[in-house]
Structures are given as structure tokens and as C-alpha cells.
Amino acid sequence: MRLVLSSAAAADFTLDELLAAARRRGFAGLELVAGHAHGAGLDPDTSDLEAIRVRAAAGAAPVVAFRAARAEAFHPAAARLSSVLRAPVIAHLEDGDIAEDALESAAAAYARAGGTLLVAHGSDPGEVWRLRRRIECAPAGVLGLAWEVDPGSEDVAARAPAVLEAAGAHLRHIRLLGGGPEAVRHEGRGIGPLMARLALAGYSGTLALAPSTPRYRVAWSTWLGRGGGWGCGSKAADPSFVVLNPAQA
């Protein structure tokens, strides 16, 4: 499992600033979000995207995912972006079902471009099973799943086994809302047991840290400017405090 930094933690950071923050905190990669100051998007030409990919890789924090709104993620331009960045595009979690023909068209576009599309979902196992059945109809490797975990609104440890079973090997990316400067708020929320379950399940994908809300923008920006690790855990579930050092995750 690789611990990575989402640009949502510092939307106004340039790519170089994100890379510097990742080095300071020991993150193994970057999740880029559409519209942030890093410069990657659906509009830049292929050479611009290739330059971003090379710079990120050279900075020891390669781009591991690009997150966009569903309408943007399903566009053929996003499939080309995925191919050039050599990273999956994540269709951001939204209310409402995905039209079957829209998902089929997106899968075809990504297959032609040689890219990968991950569909974001929450912690409802029933929703994950429904998505899994649909993505299994696409060519192997073209579609996958991305789990968005919100410790502030759900018992993540209790839901994790059913979600992991439903997603199976299709789960490629996890986004954890909180951690970093917010870690202390989530003590007793089951994050430590969640990490243990991921390890036992053999999860080998990426786990991105992102703020729970934009309210913590200043705290995250400050935290990313200092060195050290981040802690998370559940004293109620386990007497030991779980500390994750990104450089060792």
C-alpha cells in the first residue's frame, strides 16, 4: 500500500510545491484534482501532461491518480489524459446513478486510449456490488473502483470487511478524508483497525490523504510545510496508538 498526498490538501500549491511537500512528509505519490494549481487538466496538450508526469516521477512522487467530476472523467479527453499521465482518472463521487450507456461509452474511450477509469464510491456494500457487476463487463483493467472513506460520518472499521469483499481486486485507490493535521479528531473512529484490515486483505493500491472539509485549508498548508509523520488510530478499539510514517507505508 502506498500512502499519497491529494492536491485537495493544498489546492493553491503548484506542482513543484506539492512535490516539495511530499518529500518533506514522505508521501510516495500525488493524487491530482482537476482545477487545482498543479497545472494538469483536460485542456493542456500532450507535451504539457508528459512534462508533468516526468517532473513528478523525477521528484519521487509520481502522479498516481487524477480526480475529476463525473462528466469530465467520462469525456474522451480524460481517457487521453490517463494514458499520458500513466495514472487512472477517478470519477468523483456524486449523488445519483450512472447511466449504463455513459459508463459503456467511457469504458470504450479508455480502452482505445490505453487509460484507466476508476469509479468512486462510498461505504455502502450494496452500491459497491452493483458497481462491480457493471465494471466487470468492460475489458480487463479498463475500469476499477475508488473508495472514499469519511471517518467523521461512518464507522469505517465496521464497514470495511463488507466493502473490501464487494470491491475485491477491482479496488485500486482509497481516499481517506482527514489524517494529517486532523488526525487527532479521528481518534476512536476506527482508522487504525481499517489500516489493519487493508493489510490483512493484501490491499496493494494507493491511499490518498485529503482534508475532510475546506475549513482545514490553512492547517493543512501549514502542516505540509513541516517535517514528521502522521498518526491515526483508535484507542477505544486498540490500546496502542497507530502511527503511520508515509515513508514506510
Side-chain angles (χ1 to χ4, degrees):
M1 179 169 59
R2 287 185 293 163
L3 194 64
V4 304
L5 175 67
S6 174
S7 66
D12 58 341
F13 278 27
T14 64
L15 179 63
D16 287 338
E17 289 171 327
L18 286 172
L19 291 171
R23 284 195 298 271
R24 282 192 292 270
R25 284 289 173 180
F27 287 102
L30 298 174
E31 175 201 83
L32 302 182
V33 182
H36 291 175
H38 46 68
L42 302 183
D43 293 331
D45 62 28
T46 298
S47 61
D48 292 334
L49 291 172
E50 177 68 15
I52 288 171
R53 183 191 67 78
V54 171
R55 283 167 57 199
V63 178
V64 302
F66 183 89
R67 183 176 292 265
R70 186 183 295 172
E72 294 177 330
F74 280 21
H75 194 277
R80 293 191 292 272
L81 176 145
S82 173
S83 177
V84 176
L85 289 181
R86 302 181 190 176
V89 168
I90 299 173
H92 190 67
L93 182 66
E94 297 174 0
D95 292 331
D97 196 11
I98 303 172
E100 187 167 347
D101 58 344
L103 189 57
E104 289 180 357
S105 297
Y110 277 82
R112 287 193 298 270
T116 302
L117 172 65
L118 306 183
V119 180
H121 60 80
S123 299
D124 176 3
E127 174 197 15
V128 182
W129 277 114
R130 289 190 293 273
L131 284 173
R132 175 175 175 170
R133 285 192 287 269
R134 295 179 64 181
I135 67 174
E136 285 181 335
C137 295
V142 173
L143 299 181
L145 297 172
W147 183 14
E148 185 151 313
V149 181
D150 184 0
S153 64
E154 59 196 17
D155 186 342
V156 296
R159 293 190 171 219
V163 172
L164 292 173
E165 180 184 4
H170 300 289
L171 181 61
R172 301 270 302 277
H173 186 82
I174 298 173
R175 191 189 219 201
L176 178 63
L177 302 180
E182 300 180 59
V184 68
R185 296 178 56 247
H186 297 314
E187 287 185 51
R189 297 283 187 172
I191 300 178
L194 169 65
M195 297 302 172
R197 291 189 182 280
L198 291 175
L200 289 172
Y203 175 68
S204 59
T206 47
L207 188 150
L209 293 190
S212 58
T213 75
R215 288 186 304 158
Y216 294 99
R217 177 181 58 83
V218 174
W220 275 86
S221 180
T222 302
W223 181 78
L224 289 171
R226 297 194 300 270
W230 68 282
C232 66
S234 172
K235 289 186 177 179
D238 190 327
S240 62
F241 187 71
V242 179
V243 177
L244 291 184
N245 183 333
Q248 299 175 354

